[in-house]
Amino acid sequence: MSTLGDDEVGLILDWVDDPYARKSLSLVCKQWLRVEGLTRLSIRVLDLDSFRGFIPRFPNLVTFECSRRITDDDLRFLAQTCPKIEALNLNLKPPRENSDEFDQPCDDVGDDGLCALAIGCRKLSKVLLRRRKNIGDVGVVSLINLASTLTNLDLGWCNLITDQALAAIGEASSITILNLERCSLITDGGLTSLATMALSRSLKKLVLAECDQITDNGVSLLQQMYCLEELNMAECGPKITDIGGVAIATIQTLKRLNFSWLINVSDPTLFALAENCQKLVAVDFTGCELITGAGIRAFSNHTCLETLVFPSCYNIGVHDLENVVLGCRSLRCVVLDKRLKTWLTPMMQEYISIFCSLYWR
C-alpha cells in the first residue's frame, strides 16, 4: 500500500460512496486517513463537542449537515475551514412531544453566524435553516446579497423573519424553492416583494403554510409568478377567501396546491382551478368546509389530476365521489373523510378501487 501515491488513493476512494466503508478505509494508514479527508465531499455532524478537532480534516466539503444546536462561532469556523460548501442543512430536529426545549434561551446560531457563512462560502446554492429561531432579517439579507447562486432557501419556523427579509429575497433571481412556513410576521407587503421582483421569474415552489397575517390582497399578487409549480398555503387563516383562490387559479403552471384548512375557500375557487390549471397533479382541500359536491365534480374532466384530498369536507356525497372518479381518468389517489365510509357500500368501494386508491382520514 505504501507504493500508492495520493492521486491513486484518491481514485480508489472516489469509487466508495458508503460512509462506513470510507471510515474503514481511512484506518488503513495515515496517508489513507489524510487523503480520505481531502476527498470527502459531504458530512453529517452529530457531535459538536469535538467539531473543531475533526472538521479541518475535510477542507473540500461541498455538503454539510447538522440537526443539533450549533453556535455562531462554530459556523464562523466552518466557513473559514470549508469555503467550498454549496449545500448547508441546519434544519433543527423537532422537539419531543410535550417538550419545552425550544422555549428556553439558547446559544444557537443566529444572524452573526449566517453572515459569516455567507462571507466565507460564496458558492452556497442550498441553505436549510428550519427552526433556527435566532435567524432574522440581517442574516438573510446578507445571505441573499452574497450568495448569487442560491436556489433553495428554507426559513420554516424562523419566526423573526419579516417583510424586510422578503424584500431582499424578492431581488434574488436564482431561487427556485422558498419555504416560509410559520413565519408569522410576514404580511401582504412581503408577498408584494416576492411577486413583483426578480424572484417571480424563477420561483417554482413556495411554502406559506401558517403565515396567518397574509390576506387576499397579497395572495392575489402571486398570480404574477409565471413559473410557480407548487404552492402550500395550508392554515393561512380566514383572511384568504375565494378572491385569493380565484387569483391563484390563474397560475397555469401550477402542479401541486395545498389549500387545507382555508375555511373561507369554496366552490368558485375549485371551478377556477379545474378550468384554468390543466397541469394540476395534486390538490389538498382538507378542512375547507364550504366546499360542496359541485366544486369536487368540477374536476371530473381534468386530464392530469392524480391526487385529490378532501377530508373534513362535510358537503360532499357518494355520488360526487363517483362522478369525479369515473370522469377524471388520470386520478390515482383520493383521500376522504372517514365519515363518508359509512355511506359507501363495500361493493361501491370495490368498484371505485378499480380506478383509484381510496384512503380515509
Side-chain angles (χ1 to χ4, degrees):
M1 291 295 182
S2 60
T3 59
L4 293 176
D6 288 355
D7 291 341
E8 288 80 8
V9 174
L11 289 172
I12 294 172
L13 290 168
D14 284 343
W15 284 89
V16 182
D17 295 324
D18 183 80
Y20 296 103
R22 289 184 66 97
K23 185 176 181 179
S24 297
L25 289 172
S26 71
L27 300 176
V28 170
C29 64
K30 290 183 179 180
Q31 180 196 22
W32 283 60
L33 177 67
R34 175 172 51 80
V35 176
E36 194 280 327
L38 292 174
T39 57
R40 175 80 72 87
L41 297 180
S42 65
I43 193 170
R44 181 185 181 191
V45 176
L46 300 176
D47 181 11
L48 286 164
D49 291 338
S50 55
F51 173 73
R52 299 194 181 204
F54 67 77
I55 206 67
R57 192 163 72 87
F58 311 108
N60 297 313
L61 285 178
V62 174
T63 301
F64 179 87
E65 180 179 353
C66 179
S67 60
R68 308 295 176 88
R69 299 199 184 284
I70 186 170
T71 67
D72 286 334
D73 287 339
D74 289 335
L75 216 57
R76 188 176 293 110
F77 183 76
L78 178 67
Q80 294 169 352
T81 309
C82 307
K84 298 180 181 180
I85 289 177
E86 298 177 13
L88 180 80
N89 184 351
L90 295 184
N91 283 348
L92 197 60
K93 289 173 60 177
R96 297 181 300 274
E97 190 174 358
N98 299 323
S99 169
D100 59 355
E101 177 182 356
F102 284 97
D103 295 329
Q104 301 298 324
C106 62
D107 186 24
D108 195 27
V109 63
D111 289 337
D112 289 345
L114 187 56
C115 289
L117 188 84
I119 292 171
C121 302
R122 294 302 185 92
K123 295 182 178 181
L124 285 170
S125 62
K126 180 179 182 179
V127 177
L128 311 181
L129 300 168
R130 193 180 313 159
R131 291 188 173 88
R132 299 290 179 175
K133 294 194 173 183
N134 291 336
I135 296 292
D137 293 338
V138 173
V140 173
V141 171
S142 177
L143 176 67
I144 294 299
N145 289 337
L146 294 172
S148 59
T149 57
L150 189 64
T151 60
N152 187 343
L153 179 59
D154 187 344
L155 297 172
W157 295 65
C158 295
N159 51 19
L160 295 180
I161 300 299
T162 73
D163 292 343
Q164 180 182 348
L166 267 61
I169 294 172
E171 295 180 348
S173 59
S174 59
I175 295 179
T176 59
I177 301 174
L178 177 62
N179 187 346
L180 299 170
E181 179 179 2
R182 211 168 183 175
C183 293
S184 56
L185 298 180
I186 291 174
T187 70
D188 290 342
L191 295 191
T192 300
S193 298
L194 299 183
T196 60
M197 303 174 75
L199 181 78
S200 65
R201 297 187 291 274
S202 65
L203 196 65
K204 293 185 177 181
K205 178 179 179 179
L206 176 61
V207 179
L208 295 171
E210 298 187 65
C211 295
D212 55 7
Q213 290 198 48
I214 62 176
T215 73
D216 284 335
N217 292 331
V219 170
S220 295
L221 294 174
L222 298 182
Q223 63 186 302
Q224 300 181 50
M225 293 185 166
Y226 304 113
C227 298
L228 197 63
E229 297 180 359
E230 186 169 348
L231 177 63
N232 185 341
M233 292 180 53
E235 300 185 66
C236 280
K239 296 178 182 178
I240 309 299
T241 71
D242 286 324
I243 295 174
V246 171
I248 292 297
T250 63
I251 307 175
Q252 297 184 357
T253 52
L254 274 180
K255 294 181 179 179
R256 299 183 179 275
L257 179 65
N258 189 337
F259 269 5
S260 59
W261 301 106
L262 296 184
I263 59 174
N264 287 321
V265 164
S266 63
D267 290 345
T269 293
L270 274 65
F271 295 152
L273 289 169
E275 180 179 355
N276 300 325
C277 299
Q278 293 299 311
K279 295 182 180 180
L280 268 180
V281 174
V283 289
D284 189 340
F285 299 118
T286 301
C288 297
E289 298 181 359
L290 296 181
I291 289 175
T292 71
I296 294 298
R297 291 196 305 273
F299 290 97
S300 296
N301 295 318
H302 205 280
T303 58
C304 289
L305 190 64
E306 297 179 4
T307 302
L308 179 59
V309 182
F310 55 92
S312 300
C313 297
Y314 306 117
N315 297 313
I316 298 169
V318 173
H319 294 299
D320 304 316
L321 172 62
E322 182 181 6
N323 183 281
V324 72
V325 168
L326 297 180
C328 183
R329 308 300 290 186
S330 59
L331 205 57
R332 296 292 177 266
C333 170
V334 177
V335 182
L336 304 161
D337 193 278
K338 56 187 177 182
R339 299 183 185 185
L340 194 60
K341 191 173 185 178
T342 59
W343 297 97
L344 274 178
T345 65
M347 183 177 296
M348 177 62 75
Q349 291 185 44
E350 184 177 353
Y351 178 62
I352 291 177
S353 297
I354 296 174
F355 302 95
C356 69
S357 299
L358 296 180
Y359 299 92
W360 309 93
R361 188 186 296 172

